[in-house]
Amino acid sequence: MTTFAEPPVVEFATGFQTTAVYRTDLGYTHVRGPGEDRPTPLSVPDAPVRSALAALAGDGLRLALPEARDGVLHYRATGRYNAARLSVEVDSGLDPAHGVGAVRGLGRTLRRLHTHVPVSLVASGPPGPARLAAWMRSGTGPRGAARLHTIASRYLGSDRWDRVLHWCARLESGAQRPDGDVFLHGGPGLGAVVVGTGPEDGTLFVGEEVSRGPAGFDLGWTLGEFVEWRATIDRPGGPGLDPEIHASALTALLDGYTAHPDGERSSQPTVAGGQFANSATQQGALTDSPSAPGEFEAGAVGAAAFGRAGLPEQTEVTRGAALRIFTHAHDFAAYMGWHTELLDFVAQVIELVDAEAAGAPPLTPPR
C-alpha cells in the first residue's frame, strides 16, 4: 500500500467516490477511491488509449492519466485545488486569473481530444448518462435517489422524461449522428481541472470515462456546470459569488475551444441564435410534493447565441448540459443525500430540455 509522508491537505468522500490530496516532492498526488455505494468499479484506460493520450501534443492543459495502486487511482498534478472551487466558494484559495486561465486550457484540450485522438480506440458511450438512465428506469438507489425519482418524474412529465431517456439511449447505442462520433473525455468539467501555479497552468484528469459520442457532449457536459454556477450566483441568500468570474471563465472556455492553432479565436458565427428560459427558479418554485402539478412554468425567455465558429452542433451541446445537471442531481441524492436544492436542479433540467426542443443553447453567453 502506498504511504505518504504527510496527512492529506484535502480530503472528502461521498457514496460514489473518495478523494484525498497529498503533498509530494513533485507537487501533489490526488488519490481517488471507490465510495461504498459505487455501482461500477474504478477504471483505467487501456494501453492504446494511454499511448494516444501520452502522445497528444499542443497547447492546453497537461494530461494526467490514472495510475492504479492498491484499489485506488493516483493522479499527479502541480496544484492542490480544482477549478470547481471558483463556482462554490468566495474565498476559494485560488487566484481567479489562474482559474480562468485553466478553464481556457480546458477548452483547448477538449478540442485537441476531439480532433487528434482516434475515435476507433473507444467503443462505448460516456458512463454518466448510462448511470442516469439506469436510475431513471429503475427508480431505486441509496439515500435520496428514490425520492428524487418520484419528484423529478412528476415535474418533467412523461414527454420530457422520455426525451432524456432517448438521449441516453443514443449515447449508449452509438447511433449514427449527423456530425459523427469523436473521442470523448466522457466526464469533463471544472472538477477535473487542477489549477496550477501560473495564469495558463493546469492539469486535466482524463482516462476513467473516455468514450465516444458527439463532440457537443463534452462541451455541453462542461457547460452544465456553468448553468449550475449561474443559478448559485442568482439564488437569494447564496454565497455571494462574483458574476464577473463566471462570465470570464465561460468566455475563456469557449475561446479555448474555438481558438485556431495560432491562438486567435474564430470570428465568423456559424451557430444559430435561439431562446432560453433564464432561471426558472426566479419565476416560480418547485415544491417537494409528489402531488404538485406535472408541468412547471419556466421563467423569462431571452435571445441567446454563441455566435462563433468552431463549436459543436448546438443541439448536442444543450443535451449534454441537461444530462450533466440531471446526472449531478442523481449523484447528489444517491451518494450524499436529499437536499431541497435538488429541486433547483430539476427546474434547470426542465429548462434545458425545453431549450433543446426550441433549438436554443444551454445558457446566454457573455456579451
Side-chain angles (χ1 to χ4, degrees), residues 123-144:
S124 59
R131 187 166 66 250
L132 173 66
W135 165 76
M136 291 179 71
R137 295 182 185 115
S138 73
T140 62
R143 300 178 182 84

Side-chain angles (χ1 to χ4, degrees), residues 303-321:
F306 284 122
R308 63 182 75 198
L311 288 174
E313 201 275 321
Q314 182 173 282
T315 297
E316 300 292 357
V317 173
T318 305
R319 290 176 180 176

